[in-house]
Amino acid sequence: MSKPDFSDLKAVYVNCTLKPSPTVSNTEGLMRVSSAIMEAEGADVEFIRLVDHDVAPGVQPDMTEHGADKDEWPALFERIFAADILVIGTPIWLGERSSVATRLVERIYAQSGQRNDKGQYLFYGKVGGCIITGNEDGVKHCAMGLLYSLQHVGYSIPPQADCGWIGEVGPGPSYLDDESDAKNNDFTNRNTTFMTYNLLHLANTLKQQGGYPAYGNSKEDWDKGSRWGFGNPEYR
């Protein structure tokens, strides 16, 4: 099999830790394992730590137009949307994704009604995945909610689009702590690698074919009266 060329792809990793920079983030530690693979394969990678930015709560593209004194989301969104791949990283708190991750999803949702040049919803052709870390159960639960949210707004989710690491339940070593030996966990390393390549493969496929064909999924065409096979007796 020939080696794929991923050099035309860009990925953005959004770390939704509660810790502002320069505090060490265990979630970022695992995210860097994935990003190193992408960089080794020639993809362009960018990191954003969302808590470092003044992102107002809300579900509008720019919350300064709705009463907020400041909102850095519009500039951040440009960076996120410029990427072919979005990877959300979050710690687990009380069995759930972080509040910062929820805010990210809410702000992404603000743009979900916008459309691309085919009349499709804006995120068609973009690919998403997630990385979860913590010291309590909840990796699959957090991933389930994040991946559902991303696909709901239009992101494409490849197989095995999540990975994670958890230590023993309760206080104990975290991902980056030497005593956890997390960097040598074969299950986590395998899933992180598979997730990363699945994101690259799907993003590459979609980019090469120019995204999804607009037949049957263009909001613009629907509004103009197109119904394709829906209600057509020839298709019954």
Side-chain angles (χ1 to χ4, degrees):
M1 178 185 297
S2 61
K3 185 177 181 292
D5 181 5
F6 299 121
S7 60
D8 194 37
L9 297 179
K10 179 175 182 179
V12 60
Y13 286 74
V14 183
N15 184 1
C16 295
T17 177
L18 302 182
K19 303 171 183 174
S21 297
T23 308
V24 172
S25 164
N26 289 285
T27 301
E28 183 168 323
L30 184 53
M31 295 174 80
R32 292 286 179 181
V33 175
S34 171
S35 69
I37 296 171
M38 290 206 184
E39 290 177 321
E41 291 290 354
D44 184 21
V45 172
E46 179 180 5
F47 266 78
I48 295 172
R49 190 180 290 205
L50 200 67
V51 76
D52 290 341
H53 301 273
D54 193 346
V55 176
V59 289
Q60 299 297 329
D62 185 348
M63 291 306 300
T64 62
E65 298 175 358
H66 299 270
D69 293 331
K70 186 177 181 181
D71 188 8
E72 293 184 37
W73 175 252
L76 289 174
F77 175 74
E78 289 184 9
R79 294 162 63 185
I80 292 171
F81 189 70
D84 306 290
I85 300 168
L86 167 62
V87 182
I88 300 175
T90 180
I92 302 169
W93 292 112
L94 299 173
E96 301 285 350
R97 67 196 186 198
S98 73
S99 57
V100 176
T102 295
R103 181 161 299 189
L104 172 64
V105 169
E106 290 170 345
R107 295 312 303 270
I108 289 173
Y109 184 66
Q111 263 89 7
S112 63
Q114 297 176 9
R115 287 173 270 175
N116 63 19
D117 56 6
K118 298 179 184 178
Q120 301 163 319
Y121 289 113
L122 193 62
F123 299 109
Y124 274 41
K126 305 288 186 180
V127 174
C130 64
I131 294 174
I132 318 293
T133 65
N135 292 95
E136 55 190 275
D137 196 12
V139 170
K140 291 181 175 63
H141 173 73
C142 293
M144 176 178 64
L146 287 171
L147 295 179
Y148 167 79
S149 298
L150 288 177
Q151 68 80 30
H152 182 75
V153 300
Y155 275 89
S156 295
I157 310 300
Q160 297 178 317
D162 65 298
C163 65
W165 181 88
I166 52 172
E168 294 182 2
V169 175
S174 297
Y175 179 79
L176 290 175
D177 295 333
D178 291 338
E179 57 266 38
S180 74
D181 198 34
K183 294 180 181 178
N184 295 315
N185 186 292
D186 186 70
F187 182 84
T188 294
N189 289 336
R190 183 196 69 199
N191 284 0
T192 302
T193 300
F194 285 12
M195 177 206 72
T196 304
Y197 277 103
N198 288 342
L199 292 171
L200 287 168
H201 284 305
L202 182 55
N204 206 33
T205 298
L206 288 171
K207 192 159 193 175
Q208 288 179 1
Q209 70 181 29
Y212 286 95
Y215 184 82
N217 60 29
S218 170
K219 173 68 161 54
E220 181 178 319
D221 290 345
W222 178 276
D223 290 343
K224 291 178 180 178
S226 294
R227 293 297 182 267
W228 307 283
F230 174 77
N232 189 332
E234 296 180 4
Y235 288 82
R236 295 178 181 175

